[in-house]
Amino acid sequence: MDSIVEQQSKSPTAPLKTYGHATLHLKKGLRILHLYGTEEEMAYQHGTLLKEDIPKGAAGYLAHKFENEVRYDGPVKNSPLLQEIAICLGNGLVFNRLIRQMPEEERKIIRALADASQIPESDFQRAGALPDAMVIFSQYIGGRYFVSKMFPKIFGCTGFAALGPMTKSGELVHGRNLDFPVGNYWDKYSSVNYHYPAKGQKYVSIATAGVYTPGVTAFNESGLILAIQQLFTTDVSAKGTPVVLICARVIRQATNIAEAVSIIRSMKRAGNWAIMLSSVKEKRAVVIEVSPHEVFVREEKDGLITHSNYCFSPRLKQYELYFNHTTIEDNLYRCSRLTELCQESKGSLDETSGIEILGDHFDSLTKRQRVIGRTVSTIYNVQSVLFHPEKKRFWISTGPAPSNLSDYLELPWEGDQWDVIHAEKTLPPNPFSKTVQCEGMREYTKAYHHFYNTKDFLTAEAHLKKALQYDSEEFSYYLALGFTQIKLRNFRSASETFERGEKLAHLSHYEQALFSLFHGRAYDLLGNRNKARKLYEPYLSDSRIDSKLRRAFLKSFRSAYREKDIEKTIFQFIISDFLVY
């Protein structure tokens, strides 16, 4: 049995730890691992070398996210009995079914990872099932409470693949933003794993401590690059294999796009996903949209393909879900802005301009640079990568969320190029990262963490006030601060905050309506019913806002918003809007 060795050498080229032939280096905060042997042996090496990080990282957070959401957020947070019923149903009808569909070879890998890290095997199973589980839960919640299937809901990523006439060299350049609300967990323990399997092709998985699978962001020695992005429709099934395990098989086995599509078609699928694949050898890039009943392949056009989180498949578009107006706009504008930026760089797109595109903060609707809303870059970006395979290089973001606004470390395509690894060369992010606006954004991101993860609303309020000191024109800061003050039962301060927000320039009609709704609710909570109704009344038949928001105005107009309603109201920092009004 191999033993773990912590190196005493202070040489910058020496590994931080070794376990047999496996090594761990720490470069710019990134964990860089070289793993050897069977899949189970490599998983055990990963778990052993990152044993101290895994308990603090994303795997445990994701494993317990469903239970925590039920217990601490939403409509049953004050009813222990209903919580237990919801958790029991969620486990029995969704999680347990997804876990039963995990292939046996993946179960062995998970078991090895659990043994090494001394984390329960069930935690890794649940973490692997969670992305599809949340899509399935959204189908039930979205279809029941948020009605329309006409528009997309978004939580997720952006990506582009450019080649031929689009790039400076004519070679493939592939950019990937991983936008996932696991800030402070995923980004703190980002890892790059160079896999040298005893059988099969070599591959590289880019994830975080404890997420061993190459099913999120990865590439293999055949030149296939893979990145997944979430979609939301009502075409879901708990009797399918979790997407990260389907994509792991693609990376381990496929040598071209046709083989990848064949693998995807051959496996039962659970949720809705867009899988962006590019192939350096084939000079081809596609997005594969999948559901239990659909595999739709969209090809690049004139050397470019982009995607955010909505469906292009005609069939899936019939079943698409959205949660509010903001998600519709945000998703559509992120994709169109991404396309626009790539087209502007046509013939000159390379790793430098590609990284700048991934961190773009321009809102095409209001024609201004802003922090949140309709921008390519998001506050919950936990990892970004720019691939240039023919140059034998890729670059990965190194900082905390929003990670794509940090320096990008240059790494080699082949893990044995130690001179490149030890050089620790970096490329800078989008210049927005150096602005005062970005400083405000980082305070907002801290507030987001405390609002959701620690439930420390006082600290969240303090960070939001700091954010406003940096940028007093940002709509999102006022909306978040006002609602945080409502959570703190400081209703007069909330009313004053919303009133200040209402005076901002550049507000869309929808944003103005949100301020009016919650300013009115602050008045209701203060006992000033007449002022509240005056704010609600203009929107009761306003066709410029969606039916869900109109219903919220009508409900508050008919019956005053009370303290008991606060816990039923769900605010989303990541889109600066409400899932439940």
Side-chain angles (χ1 to χ4, degrees), residues 162-326:
L163 65 162
M166 291 301 303
T167 64
K168 185 175 182 178
S169 62
E171 299 169 343
L172 173 65
V173 175
H174 186 144
R176 192 278 201 277
N177 274 337
L178 176 61
D179 303 331
F180 193 25
V182 284
N184 244 44
Y185 299 98
W186 189 289
D187 44 328
K188 273 190 175 181
Y189 308 102
S190 285
S191 68
V192 176
N193 303 272
Y194 288 92
H195 298 259
Y196 300 87
K199 295 181 180 179
Q201 59 186 336
K202 294 179 287 186
Y203 61 92
V204 176
S205 61
I206 300 165
T208 188
V211 180
Y212 169 81
T213 175
V216 179
T217 308
F219 63 88
N220 65 24
E221 69 173 314
S222 296
L224 282 182
I225 303 169
L226 177 147
I228 61 171
Q229 299 173 207
Q230 206 157 37
L231 304 174
F232 286 85
T233 83
T234 56
D235 182 16
V236 296
S237 170
K239 296 180 180 179
T241 303
V243 68
V244 294
L245 304 185
I246 294 174
C247 290
R249 184 174 292 184
V250 167
I251 283 296
R252 291 178 182 131
Q253 296 182 5
T255 62
N256 55 51
I257 289 174
E259 290 179 3
V261 173
S262 179
I263 289 169
I264 292 166
R265 289 188 187 278
S266 71
M267 300 181 74
K268 290 182 178 180
R269 302 169 297 279
N272 316 130
W273 298 91
I275 303 166
M276 183 171 279
L277 271 178
S278 61
S279 171
V280 61
K281 291 181 180 178
E282 298 174 278
K283 299 188 182 301
R284 182 184 173 196
V286 301
V287 172
I288 308 165
E289 296 180 21
V290 304
S291 75
H293 300 99
E294 174 76 313
V295 176
F296 175 80
V297 181
R298 179 167 64 95
E299 300 278 351
E300 56 84 13
K301 185 178 180 181
D302 300 326
L304 178 66
I305 193 166
T306 63
H307 204 88
S308 56
N309 303 96
Y310 67 95
C311 301
F312 282 78
S313 160
R315 184 182 184 282
L316 287 181
K317 286 194 78 66
Q318 299 176 55
Y319 305 102
E320 207 157 18
L321 285 171
Y322 83 102
F323 276 24
N324 51 37
H325 176 85
T326 300

Side-chain angles (χ1 to χ4, degrees), residues 146 323-327 475 479-480 482-483 486 498 510 514-515 517-518 521 548-549 561 569-573 575-581:
F146 303 125
F323 276 24
N324 51 37
H325 176 85
T326 300
T327 59
F475 153 79
L479 190 65
F483 187 68
I486 285 178
F498 292 131
Y510 185 83
L514 286 177
F515 275 138
L517 177 63
F518 281 90
R521 288 178 169 183
K548 179 186 171 186
L549 184 54
Y561 187 81
T569 307
I570 302 177
F571 179 67
Q572 279 282 19
F573 270 68
I575 56 173
S576 194
D577 201 348
F578 294 80
L579 294 183
V580 178
Y581 293 110

Side-chain angles (χ1 to χ4, degrees), residues 56 62 74 103 178 293 305 311 327 370 391 398 400 408 412 442 514 551:
K56 298 175 285 186
L62 293 172
L178 176 61
H293 300 99
I305 193 166
C311 301
T327 59
R370 65 184 299 180
K391 209 170 189 176
T398 57
Y408 284 67
R442 295 194 185 282
L514 286 177
R551 288 195 299 272

Side-chain angles (χ1 to χ4, degrees), residues 31-217:
R31 288 133 184 85
I32 301 172
L33 296 92
H34 289 68
L35 310 172
Y36 302 85
T38 66
E39 289 295 340
E40 296 99 298
E41 288 169 341
M42 290 189 290
Y44 195 92
Q45 293 161 13
H46 178 103
T48 300
L49 291 170
L50 298 179
K51 186 175 181 179
E52 294 175 6
D53 296 331
I54 291 173
K56 298 175 285 186
Y61 174 80
L62 293 172
H64 301 286
K65 183 174 176 61
F66 169 65
E67 284 88 347
N68 289 337
E69 293 272 343
V70 172
R71 294 189 193 283
Y72 304 116
D73 286 307
V76 299
K77 65 174 293 183
N78 296 319
S79 173
L81 177 60
L82 290 177
Q83 289 173 13
E84 294 308 315
I85 292 171
I87 290 169
C88 183
L89 288 172
N91 287 337
L93 297 177
V94 180
F95 276 99
N96 293 347
R97 290 182 177 183
L98 287 168
I99 290 169
R100 283 198 294 270
Q101 292 295 325
M102 291 181 173
E104 181 56 32
E105 65 268 22
E106 294 294 343
R107 291 174 179 275
K108 292 178 180 178
I109 292 169
I110 289 171
R111 198 168 299 129
L113 182 62
D115 288 345
S117 61
Q118 296 184 353
I119 301 291
E121 184 178 342
S122 59
D123 277 12
F124 291 112
Q125 291 175 335
R126 291 179 66 83
L130 180 96
D132 286 277
M134 297 311 288
V135 175
I136 293 167
F137 291 137
S138 295
Q139 184 266 331
Y140 293 115
I141 298 170
R144 170 65 181 85
Y145 295 108
F146 303 125
V147 195
S148 177
K149 301 175 185 178
M150 294 172 61
F151 299 103
K153 171 189 181 290
I154 59 100
F155 292 109
C157 316
T158 46
F160 70 86
L163 65 162
M166 291 301 303
T167 64
K168 185 175 182 178
S169 62
E171 299 169 343
L172 173 65
V173 175
H174 186 144
R176 192 278 201 277
N177 274 337
L178 176 61
D179 303 331
F180 193 25
V182 284
N184 244 44
Y185 299 98
W186 189 289
D187 44 328
K188 273 190 175 181
Y189 308 102
S190 285
S191 68
V192 176
N193 303 272
Y194 288 92
H195 298 259
Y196 300 87
K199 295 181 180 179
Q201 59 186 336
K202 294 179 287 186
Y203 61 92
V204 176
S205 61
I206 300 165
T208 188
V211 180
Y212 169 81
T213 175
V216 179
T217 308

Side-chain angles (χ1 to χ4, degrees), residues 27-30 176-178 187-188 190 351-352 354-361 377-379 381-386 395-410 425-435 438-439 441-442:
K27 302 291 182 182
K28 301 291 183 183
L30 294 175
R176 192 278 201 277
N177 274 337
L178 176 61
D187 44 328
K188 273 190 175 181
S190 285
E351 52 270 18
T352 301
I355 286 171
E356 188 167 327
I357 286 170
L358 293 175
D360 183 70
H361 270 271
S377 176
T378 71
I379 68 159
N381 174 274
V382 291
Q383 199 169 60
S384 288
V385 192
L386 195 289
W395 291 260
I396 177 172
S397 59
T398 57
S403 186
N404 56 352
L405 295 177
S406 62
D407 287 340
Y408 284 67
L409 178 65
E410 179 181 333
K425 291 182 180 179
T426 60
L427 286 176
N430 188 289
F432 179 82
S433 62
K434 305 299 183 184
T435 65
C438 188
E439 293 302 314
M441 183 183 185
R442 295 194 185 282

